[in-house]
């Protein structure tokens, strides 16, 4: 369960120049926007359940003594002292990722001091907040699967379930252990979404290194004896990168890519460099 806290007033005495009624209406409107952005980002990711809590101040959050994964703070314009010293220390030491939504850039200095994960302007919140939350979710738990529409249904397909993928016209066939699924996605799109264990060994095929038994002259033999075609042009890079994968190499010297340009070897803690 992902714990998210929204703090409506950043610092002591925020919004002191605004009338209570005006502030209340504006805060309610912003809260609705933030709530909608969070729901949209979580639903799009599809891996998390979440619980949302609202606080009027950092002090209120501190007094709750609850642990949160994400803190979203709204900072009003026109303040000079955003936080008390004890609030600054608490924010600096919290393990939660902090996303700051501000009316201007005056808070940037304090944002760096407390280690804000992302900074967004109020007028761009509907664009910036979902993007920030996407980065937070990726940092908390790197994506290990694809969200695809299969037979009209939205489904989550773990990388570990995919043995190989075959292009079929304007669609792609995802082969699993005993089944397969057809999706209306291009190979380029799928390759961009897949993890570091996948390689495009042929114009029409992507293979999962996790299930490779051996590499022959013109094919990859999987551990369940299925065969996946390999193009002559891609075989050399396939062999080199597969050896890197086997050895768990992280950022060694260089490999020769299919286009003949030397590049750094892929870092297998993140996504594999794409060779197309």
């Amino acid at each position: 369960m992902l714990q998210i806290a929204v703090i409506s007033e950043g610092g002591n005495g925020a919004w002191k120049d605004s009338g209570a009624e005006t502030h209340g209406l504006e805060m309610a409107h912003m809260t609705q926007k933030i709530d909608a952005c969070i729901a949209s980002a979580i639903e799009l990711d599809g891996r998390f359940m979440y619980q949302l809590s609202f606080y009027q101040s950092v002090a209120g959050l501190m007094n709750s003594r609850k642990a949160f994964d994400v803190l979203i703070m709204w900072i009003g314009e026109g303040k000079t002292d955003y936080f008390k010293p004890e609030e600054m220390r608490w924010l600096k030491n919290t393990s939660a990722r902090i996303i700051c939504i501000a009316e201007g850039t005056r808070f940037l200095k304090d944002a760096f001091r407390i280690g804000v994960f992302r900074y967004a302007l109020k007028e761009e919140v509907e664009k910036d907040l979902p993007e920030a939350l996407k980065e937070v979710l990726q940092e908390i738990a790197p994506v290990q699967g694809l969200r695809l529409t299969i037979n009209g249904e939205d489904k989550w397909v773990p990388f570990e379930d995919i043995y190989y993928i075959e292009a079929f016209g304007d669609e792609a066939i995802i082969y699993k252990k005993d089944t397969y699924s057809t999706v209306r996605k291009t190979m380029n799109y799928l390759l961009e979404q897949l993890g570091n264990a996948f390689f495009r060994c042929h114009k029409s095929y992507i293979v999962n290194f996790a299930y490779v038994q051996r590499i022959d002259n013109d094919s990859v033999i999987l551990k369940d004896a299925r065969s996946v075609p390999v193009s002559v042009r891609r075989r050399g890079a396939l062999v080199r990168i597969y050896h890197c994968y086997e050895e768990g190499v992280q950022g060694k010297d260089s490999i020769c890519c299919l286009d003949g340009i030397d590049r750094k070897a892929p870092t297998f803690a993140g996504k594999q460099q794409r060779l197309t």
Side-chain angles (χ1 to χ4, degrees):
M1 178 69 71
L2 200 66
Q3 298 292 334
I4 303 175
V6 176
I7 306 169
S8 61
E9 298 191 39
N12 187 33
W15 304 95
K16 62 184 178 183
D17 296 327
S18 299
E21 184 178 350
T22 301
H23 167 52
L25 290 173
E26 189 172 8
M27 186 63 240
H29 182 60
M30 179 57 74
T31 298
Q32 291 176 355
K33 282 188 177 182
I34 293 173
D35 197 357
C37 288
I38 293 171
S40 175
I42 298 294
E43 182 180 358
L44 183 63
D45 184 277
R47 296 176 294 153
F48 298 91
M49 299 290 288
Y50 74 100
Q51 184 173 358
L52 190 58
S53 302
F54 290 89
Y55 295 89
Q56 290 188 346
S57 65
V58 174
L61 178 62
M62 292 168 60
N63 292 335
S64 74
R65 298 186 180 278
K66 293 182 179 179
F68 289 94
D69 301 293
V70 185
L71 303 182
I72 300 174
M73 297 192 302
W74 186 17
I75 304 294
E77 186 67 15
K79 284 190 52 58
T80 54
D81 298 319
Y82 291 97
F83 302 108
K84 295 179 179 178
E86 61 269 24
E87 293 174 342
M88 289 290 290
R89 287 193 296 269
W90 187 89
L91 289 168
K92 184 177 181 179
N93 293 321
T94 182
S95 61
R97 281 78 170 178
I98 301 173
I99 300 173
C100 173
I101 301 169
E103 290 197 19
T105 59
R106 293 177 61 185
F107 179 66
L108 278 175
K109 182 179 178 180
D110 280 345
F112 284 111
R113 288 171 61 192
I114 63 175
V116 168
F117 183 83
R118 276 286 298 264
Y119 186 95
L121 293 177
K122 173 188 170 184
E123 57 268 24
E124 301 290 336
V125 66
E126 291 174 303
K127 176 179 72 70
D128 290 349
L129 183 54
E131 292 179 359
L133 286 167
K134 180 180 178 181
E135 290 185 21
V136 167
L137 299 180
Q138 174 68 8
E139 185 174 279
I140 291 174
V143 173
Q144 296 295 328
L146 292 171
R147 180 158 292 281
L148 299 169
T149 301
I150 299 174
N151 297 326
E153 295 183 13
D154 190 32
K155 294 186 177 180
W156 178 255
V157 182
F159 291 155
E160 63 184 19
D161 288 355
I162 303 172
Y163 279 59
Y164 68 100
I165 300 173
E166 178 185 4
F168 188 74
D170 59 354
E171 298 179 322
I173 304 173
I174 298 176
Y175 291 92
K176 306 174 187 177
K177 182 177 181 180
D178 299 312
T179 62
Y180 65 88
S181 302
T182 302
V183 296
R184 191 170 290 277
K185 296 292 183 183
T186 66
M187 297 294 271
N188 285 338
Y189 171 86
L190 291 172
L191 196 63
E192 285 299 318
Q193 305 302 314
L194 291 166
N196 54 65
F198 291 84
F199 185 84
R200 193 169 186 174
C201 58
H202 185 282
K203 181 180 179 181
S204 299
Y205 290 89
I206 297 172
V207 66
N208 186 348
F209 283 149
Y211 297 111
V212 171
Q213 180 67 40
R214 70 177 188 273
I215 300 173
D216 289 344
N217 288 332
D218 59 359
S219 63
V220 171
I221 307 302
L222 303 183
K223 293 178 181 178
D224 63 359
R226 281 184 285 186
S227 176
V228 179
V230 174
S231 68
V232 174
R233 189 171 69 92
R234 299 171 192 260
R235 188 181 183 281
L238 168 66
V239 171
R240 286 190 290 275
I241 294 179
Y242 178 61
H243 287 329
C244 289
Y245 172 83
E246 281 190 311
E247 297 168 5
V249 172
Q250 297 206 2
K252 266 198 172 181
D253 301 329
S254 66
I255 55 173
C256 182
C257 296
L258 294 175
D259 57 8
I261 301 174
D262 283 343
R263 309 186 196 276
K264 289 184 179 179
T267 298
F268 288 100
K271 279 194 173 184
Q272 175 187 300
Q273 180 184 342
R274 300 299 172 212
L275 303 180
T276 57

